Amino acid sequence: MPDPAANEMAADLEADLEEAESEGVSAEEVLGNGAFDPRSFAGSWAKERGLVQSAPTLPAPAAPPPAEHRPRQPRTLSLVLAFAVLAVVGAVLLIIGSRQALAVVGPVMGKPVPASPGFPFRPPGTIVQPGAAVQFVGPDPLHTAGSLLLLIGVVGMITMLVLWSWRRLRPPVAAA
Amino acid sequence: MVQDVARRTELLRGTLDLCLLAVMEEGPAYGYEMTKRLRAGGLSIVSEGSIYPLLGRLEREGLVETYRAASNGGPPRKYYRPSEEGRRALEAGVSEWRAARDAIDTVLGNVSLGVKP
């Protein structure tokens, strides 16, 4: 702001306040809110006179970044962990269910199924004694649920990890 | 109470320039003198914090003329008075205000206030 204009404004204000004081009127009554925020008062006055482009203002507190730019690592990590837990639970259920679904029985009680290498659902490493019969007792609900949970868990984990990597490699979007 | 003051302030915001031009029309005045005239007219919520920026704008827009003159025993003061353009703006503004006031009175006039003595 040019000095002559600033001096003129200060002189006007000083004269007004002196007159008000002589009449028993306080500076707060004369200036209103301007008495409590002299910087803003002087700024708006100078701006309206066309002396400055804009009134000075206190810096605004930094706004939180837009939702799409906020770091999502904690949320992504939580989701990966949740899917991992799901996968582990699914795996446990699958193992338990597989053991129940495949029964090795000694003496043949029902129609025996030969323990041939092509026998389906035979877990690796299962040793079937010669002469013993293996009986398939049907799909166990635990086996089905375990398979489903394991599938969801693994797919979820992979998806979240891919998304997380993509977000990390993606160039930042310039603010408008 | 706070809401009442806020509403009055909002109502005044669009017409304070007219009020300033009107009190200047009574006779040239400096800032504090205008404040006193406005308060004498019932606008007690007007302060110099409001009118100085507005006087600055009126001056920039050429609606007022200023000059320095000695006040009663005090230092020279900056006096304001409406320019020709300011007088035209005052007349036009007063017409607009009266039209708006009449329309609002018509609408609000239908409201019966249930104020008990």
Side-chain angles (χ1 to χ4, degrees):
Chain A
M1 186 190 306
D3 280 347
N7 291 338
E8 180 195 292
M9 289 160 66
D12 288 342
L13 197 56
E14 191 180 352
D16 282 356
L17 291 175
E18 276 177 16
E19 185 178 339
E21 191 181 359
S22 69
E23 294 176 355
V25 179
S26 68
E28 288 79 11
E29 283 178 85
V30 176
L31 295 174
N33 290 334
F36 304 105
D37 189 2
R39 186 181 171 85
S40 172
F41 170 54
S44 59
W45 189 1
K47 182 192 168 199
E48 294 296 351
R49 283 189 65 171
L51 299 172
V52 293
Q53 288 298 314
S54 60
T57 52
L58 292 174
E68 63 269 24
H69 298 151
R70 274 183 220 151
R72 295 189 177 191
Q73 273 80 353
R75 204 174 74 178
T76 308
L77 189 66
S78 306
L79 283 171
V80 169
L81 282 175
F83 281 122
V85 169
L86 216 59
V88 168
V89 171
V92 170
L93 291 178
L94 187 63
I95 290 168
I96 295 170
S98 296
R99 283 182 180 165
Q100 289 180 0
L102 197 65
V104 178
V105 292
V108 177
M109 300 298 289
K111 187 180 178 184
V113 178
S116 66
F119 181 74
F121 312 116
R122 178 179 169 181
T126 301
I127 298 168
V128 180
Q129 296 295 325
V134 178
Q135 189 176 16
F136 181 67
V137 293
D140 190 272
L142 281 180
H143 184 274
T144 310
S147 305
L148 204 62
L149 288 178
L150 181 62
L151 186 70
I152 292 171
V154 169
V155 170
M157 268 199 304
I158 292 170
T159 307
M160 292 314 300
L161 286 172
V162 167
L163 277 176
W164 179 70
S165 306
W166 178 70
R167 282 197 189 115
R168 276 176 65 90
L169 294 174
R170 186 177 55 167
V173 180
Chain B
M1 181 63 186
V2 174
Q3 199 176 2
D4 292 346
V5 173
R7 186 185 295 283
R8 257 180 280 159
T9 304
E10 282 300 312
L11 287 171
L12 191 59
R13 198 181 296 278
T15 51
L16 188 55
D17 55 344
L18 293 178
C19 295
L20 285 175
L21 287 169
V23 296
M24 282 179 230
E25 187 68 0
E26 295 171 11
Y30 49 89
Y32 182 56
E33 202 174 354
M34 278 187 255
T35 307
K36 288 195 285 186
R37 288 184 191 176
L38 289 170
R39 290 184 179 187
L43 296 177
S44 57
I45 59 170
V46 178
S47 66
E48 289 201 19
S50 308
I51 71 164
Y52 265 118
L54 204 45
L55 287 172
R57 180 163 65 82
L58 294 174
E59 188 178 0
R60 181 163 53 89
E61 292 173 350
L63 298 177
V64 295
E65 295 169 345
T66 63
Y67 63 93
R68 290 215 163 256
S71 59
N72 296 335
R77 312 297 286 267
K78 186 177 184 178
Y79 282 82
Y80 296 80
R81 65 183 173 204
S83 64
E84 277 305 311
E85 197 178 345
R87 287 197 180 88
R88 284 195 293 273
L90 177 60
E91 284 177 17
V94 168
S95 297
E96 287 170 13
W97 164 253
R98 286 178 180 158
R101 181 199 60 191
D102 290 347
I104 291 168
D105 277 351
T106 303
V107 174
L108 297 184
N110 298 326
V111 178
S112 57
L113 298 176
V115 180
K116 294 177 182 176

